[in-house]
Amino acid sequence: MDSIRYPIGQFKPSLNPSVDARVSRIHEIPEIVKTLRGLIGNLENEQIITSYRDGGWTIGQIVHHMADNDMNAYLRFKRALTEDEPVASSYREDLWAELSDYKDIPIEDSLSLLELLHRRFLILLNSLNPEEYNRKLRTEALGSVTLDIAVQRFVWHNRHHMAQIESLINKMGWRTGES
């Protein structure tokens, strides 16, 4: 079950990443939506409402969750730049996934939101000096983390959910926009 739920493994931060490693990670952000669009671009609605595992979210719920999560991460990041080690609020992602916007809004809306949000995040990330990546925020799940680790987690989280989608597509033998 863990390999289905965590196809790329659990998050493991690099505690002292080099500047090059940070830059490389940041350069992955604009590729997230491109990759996601390639994965789901040719899927039919019936496929979009298929759960990636028993008891798991549908592809549509995953995409909407990615947008919600990235909005929350972006706001936490900005708070860490403007406050001293703020406590990042958590949210009930399981309950959010049951709300009407996850069911009634096309996933294209969340893809567009991700695109715009990532564009803003990149501008912010590229404007920071190296010392600012040492600023911290506190999360329930990870405890006190630097913004360097927050960026790593941001990219990992998106990769993690794209891997869940890709695993389902491969398991079901569906054709994607990448074919």
Side-chain angles (χ1 to χ4, degrees):
M1 176 60 88
D2 247 17
S3 65
I4 295 171
R5 192 166 181 198
Y6 294 98
I8 63 169
Q10 300 262 357
F11 176 67
K12 293 182 181 117
S14 172
L15 299 179
N16 295 304
S18 68
V19 172
D20 288 342
R22 178 188 312 124
V23 168
S24 177
R25 186 73 34 91
I26 290 168
H27 281 109
E28 290 183 52
I29 294 171
E31 299 305 312
I32 292 167
V33 175
K34 290 177 191 171
T35 302
L36 190 53
R37 283 186 190 283
L39 281 172
I40 64 175
N42 289 338
L43 296 181
E44 301 294 328
N45 190 53
E46 189 170 297
Q47 295 165 320
I48 296 293
I49 61 171
T50 302
S51 296
Y52 81 97
R53 66 175 172 87
D54 287 339
W57 288 342
T58 66
I59 290 174
Q61 286 173 308
I62 291 171
V63 173
H64 293 310
H65 163 72
M66 290 170 71
D68 282 345
N69 187 79
D70 285 8
M71 283 189 294
N72 277 288
Y74 176 68
L75 293 173
R76 289 183 201 122
F77 200 94
K78 288 182 77 161
R79 286 189 60 212
L81 287 170
T82 60
E83 302 172 32
D84 291 329
E85 200 169 335
V87 176
S89 61
S90 61
Y91 65 100
R92 290 288 309 269
E93 57 190 45
D94 58 329
L95 297 179
W96 285 31
E98 297 303 320
L99 295 173
S100 62
D101 59 334
Y102 276 46
K103 297 174 186 140
D104 298 336
I105 295 174
I107 58 173
E108 180 57 39
D109 289 6
S110 285
L111 291 169
S112 296
L113 180 58
L114 281 167
E115 246 171 1
L116 293 170
L117 183 63
H118 290 178
R119 193 176 313 150
R120 280 191 66 170
F121 197 28
L122 280 170
I123 290 168
L124 179 64
L125 292 172
N126 288 321
S127 74
L128 300 179
N129 65 53
E131 296 80 39
E132 287 174 298
Y133 284 96
N134 292 322
R135 293 189 62 88
K136 293 183 177 183
L137 62 100
R138 183 169 295 282
T139 73
E140 206 174 288
L142 301 174
S144 181
V145 297
T146 65
L147 292 183
D148 247 333
I149 291 173
V151 170
Q152 294 171 43
R153 174 81 176 182
F154 183 92
V155 172
W156 173 87
H157 183 265
N158 282 291
R159 279 197 214 146
H160 158 72
H161 285 303
M162 289 188 297
Q164 290 172 334
I165 293 169
E166 186 173 26
S167 293
L168 174 62
I169 289 169
N170 291 338
K171 177 179 131 187
M172 302 299 280
W174 296 336
R175 291 188 45 179
T176 69
E178 292 180 330
S179 328

